[in-house]
Amino acid sequence: MLWEILGFGKFNFLMQLVHISIIMGMAFETVSVAYLVPASACELNTTVSQQGLMAGMPLIGIIATSHIWGYLADTKGRRKILGWCMSLAFLFGAAAALSPDWIVFSVLKFLSSCAVAGTFALALTLLSEVTPQHRRSFMVALTSTIFLSSTGLMAVISIPVLHLEFSHYIPHLNILFTPWRLLCIVFATPCALGAVGMYFSYESPRYLLTIGEEQKALETLKGIYKINTGKSGDDYKVSSLILDEDRGKPPNGLWSSMVSQTVPLLKPPLLKHTLLLSVLFVVVYMGFNPYLTWLPYITDGIVKSIERGEENLSFCDMLRASYNETMTVNEDCSLNSFAMVTVFLISIMIAALNTILSSLINYVGRKRMLIGVQLITGVAGLCINLSNSWIVSSILLVVFMSGVLNFGFLSTFSVEIFPTYVKAMAVCLTLMVGRGSSVLGINILKQLLVYDCELSFYCFGGLVFVGGLIGFLLPGDNKKFRKDPMET
């Protein structure tokens, strides 16, 4: 087998580092609104509805362009498109720091998220295509660990930056450059690092084969061989390659090309997988992503309520009391330092749990793992309101939040089911559908947390539990979706 010759070693480690920089850049840019929106609320004078729109902009941008990035990656190459994505995301993300009002901020975050829209799916696609099949599920599932660790790191970074005391007037823009603006630039920096990493990376050899570039694919595989084994390229004896899968029909023109990448996903035999995965991505992203976005807000409200000596209140009453205190009494929009440390610890705990479960995924099975996580977290979400103790409710919230692990577990199905010539498009489209539902969920959750907190946990917890039941429709783990065309 080809991957037995290439091995699994230094190259795969370096690719994982590049993958980390890309996922971190994507996480920093899209989740940054969770910290920037509440931190900027006093200066920009934003309402609850405006904050919901600001927080939803990254996901709207992702929805708007995921289809395009998937098409470009399948026709122009994963490496080239990822490099452009990360470069543009940095430029627009850093520019958002100079926004004079919430509208300009929202537009620039929309543009930066448009640029970063394809990075998660394309990074998964590229990583899966340069990783041996027996290691693929573990490596892809670790993406959630990287993502969660990045969100936790953001909480730690925000503590010293937001507590700086400076204010510089910029006359040409008529704005005060304050700590939250500096934090915006800091959050955009990993995108620049990801762009540099892609510049020094290899293109997917499987993609090169699909476009008929066999010689370039051989050179890429020879490079992988040299890095992994430390041997000379002369020792690499593979002289020809055959891609044992459908390459699709050569398209004519932009529109026909995009259609050729999309139509196979909407026709048998791929249609049933497209529909099932789309539904599950909607459930997983709408159920968990809104809480991930508003976790700093929730944690900040609980901690501030405890500091005011309101431990006897219920979980939701504490959140309401903190909101009223912030908006009507002291007008303090800074985020509590201990609350941010708590967010960091929660993220790291869930990331560690993901690493453990990812290492067991080949033994337990992807389907069982996904269903188990979904059902357990759904029950936890439904039970949050049943306790009058904020401690018990907080523990249940953390258990519920651990459902974000299924972001990665569900992605392991996507990268296995679809053939190479539509894989990037398929992953982008299914993720786009899921993230589209997140926009609605983010706005609904913020309104509910302020005006009907208890209902939010029943609605979202119930949705998550139903998703676990839908998971039984996934093919069993003993059924191979597709043979790895480069394994033989």
Side-chain angles (χ1 to χ4, degrees):
M1 290 185 181
L2 179 60
W3 285 112
E4 289 182 352
I5 300 173
L6 297 174
F8 182 85
K10 185 178 178 181
F11 167 79
N12 302 95
F13 173 74
L14 292 173
M15 277 302 300
Q16 185 69 356
L17 288 180
V18 175
H19 184 70
I20 288 172
S21 69
I22 293 172
I23 297 301
M24 183 178 291
M26 182 276 298
F28 273 35
E29 191 53 38
T30 57
V31 183
S32 63
V33 290
Y35 301 89
L36 299 175
V37 170
S40 65
C42 293
E43 182 178 340
L44 300 182
N45 295 316
T46 50
T47 65
V48 173
S49 298
Q50 290 168 348
Q51 290 175 32
L53 289 173
M54 293 168 69
M57 276 298 158
L59 293 174
I60 294 175
I62 289 172
I63 297 167
T65 55
S66 286
H67 194 202
I68 297 173
W69 292 125
Y71 154 73
L72 290 174
D74 281 331
T75 55
K76 305 300 180 183
R78 286 78 159 107
R79 174 177 170 268
K80 179 188 295 185
I81 299 306
L82 276 169
W84 276 105
C85 283
M86 300 307 288
S87 300
L88 292 173
F90 169 72
L91 292 176
F92 290 123
L98 303 178
S99 303
D101 54 48
W102 74 273
I103 296 177
V104 175
F105 178 90
S106 298
V107 170
L108 289 172
K109 278 299 178 182
F110 169 80
L111 293 175
S112 69
S113 61
C114 283
V116 83
T119 55
F120 187 87
L122 302 189
L124 283 178
T125 301
L126 179 59
L127 182 68
S128 70
E129 291 176 351
V130 296
T131 303
Q133 190 171 29
H134 69 283
R135 301 267 189 170
R136 196 169 298 155
S137 291
F138 173 71
M139 296 291 281
V140 172
L142 278 180
T143 299
S144 289
T145 299
I146 300 167
F147 182 86
L148 291 166
S149 299
S150 298
T151 59
L153 182 60
M154 293 172 71
V156 174
I157 292 173
S158 70
I159 295 173
V161 176
L162 289 180
H163 283 79
L164 293 174
E165 295 183 0
F166 66 84
S167 179
H168 299 293
Y169 180 65
I170 302 178
H172 296 294
L173 298 174
N174 193 30
I175 63 171
L176 291 173
F177 193 86
T178 49
W180 75 266
R181 298 181 185 275
L182 174 62
L183 185 62
C184 188
I185 296 175
V186 172
F187 283 157
T189 303
C191 289
L193 299 178
V196 174
M198 286 313 304
Y199 177 80
F200 292 101
S201 298
Y202 283 124
E203 179 58 89
S204 162
R206 191 179 302 180
Y207 164 77
L208 293 172
L209 280 178
T210 64
I211 61 173
E213 296 284 357
E214 183 181 355
Q215 191 57 43
K216 289 184 179 180
L218 285 169
E219 290 298 321
T220 296
L221 292 171
K222 182 182 290 187
I224 295 174
Y225 174 82
K226 290 166 62 177
I227 295 173
N228 270 349
T229 64
K231 297 179 181 179
S232 169
D234 297 333
D235 296 329
Y236 183 69
K237 303 302 182 182
V238 178
S239 58
S240 64
L241 297 167
I242 298 176
L243 186 66
D244 187 20
E245 68 175 29
D246 185 8
R247 301 185 185 209
K249 298 178 180 179
N252 296 313
L254 175 63
W255 174 249
S256 61
S257 180
M258 293 187 70
V259 170
S260 71
Q261 299 298 120
T262 306
V263 169
L265 303 175
L266 304 177
K267 295 169 59 178
L270 298 179
L271 176 60
K272 61 180 180 181
H273 296 309
T274 303
L275 292 176
L276 179 57
L277 287 174
S278 295
V279 170
L280 285 172
F281 269 110
V282 166
V283 171
V284 171
Y285 271 83
M286 187 172 186
F288 299 116
N289 207 50
Y291 283 93
L292 188 64
T293 299
W294 296 118
L295 182 60
Y297 168 82
I298 295 171
T299 308
D300 183 66
I302 297 299
V303 171
K304 286 181 177 178
S305 182
I306 295 172
E307 291 181 347
R308 292 193 302 270
E310 298 170 343
E311 296 93 339
N312 294 328
L313 296 178
S314 68
F315 190 85
C316 284
D317 286 338
M318 294 172 80
L319 280 179
R320 281 188 285 265
S322 292
Y323 174 79
N324 292 332
E325 179 79 10
T326 297
M327 302 310 296
T328 62
V329 180
N330 54 25
E331 296 186 354
D332 179 13
C333 292
S334 63
L335 298 176
N336 184 277
S337 296
F338 183 75
M340 294 305 96
V341 172
T342 303
V343 171
F344 169 73
L345 293 176
I346 292 173
S347 299
I348 295 302
M349 285 170 53
I350 298 176
L353 177 61
N354 184 74
T355 302
I356 296 172
L357 295 183
S358 296
S359 64
L360 299 174
I361 195 170
N362 288 330
Y363 302 99
V364 177
R366 291 176 297 184
K367 181 176 178 178
R368 295 188 190 93
M369 188 78 76
L370 185 142
I371 293 173
V373 169
Q374 203 74 14
L375 293 178
I376 292 172
T377 55
V379 171
L382 290 169
C383 293
I384 289 175
N385 289 325
L386 300 183
S387 173
N388 291 325
S389 169
W390 69 269
I391 297 177
V392 174
S393 295
S394 297
I395 293 173
L396 289 172
L397 177 64
V398 173
V399 175
F400 175 69
M401 287 287 300
S402 65
V404 299
L405 301 180
N406 275 345
F407 289 176
F409 296 150
L410 193 55
S411 296
T412 65
F413 286 90
S414 295
V415 298
E416 289 288 345
I417 290 176
F418 301 101
T420 304
Y421 76 98
V422 293
K423 183 180 293 184
M425 176 70 78
V427 178
C428 280
L429 282 179
T430 51
L431 282 172
M432 179 187 73
V433 173
R435 286 165 174 163
S437 66
S438 290
V439 177
L440 180 62
I442 287 172
N443 283 275
I444 291 175
L445 180 59
K446 183 58 184 292
Q447 295 285 338
L448 288 177
L449 288 175
V450 174
Y451 301 114
D452 199 344
C453 175
E454 290 81 5
L455 180 61
S456 68
F457 295 110
Y458 292 129
C459 291
F460 286 87
L463 175 66
V464 168
F465 186 83
V466 170
L469 300 179
I470 296 175
F472 283 100
L473 298 177
L474 288 167
D477 292 295
N478 59 344
K479 179 180 178 180
K480 289 280 187 181
F481 296 121
R482 299 185 53 81
K483 177 180 69 176
D484 190 328
M486 293 187 64
E487 287 287 345
T488 58

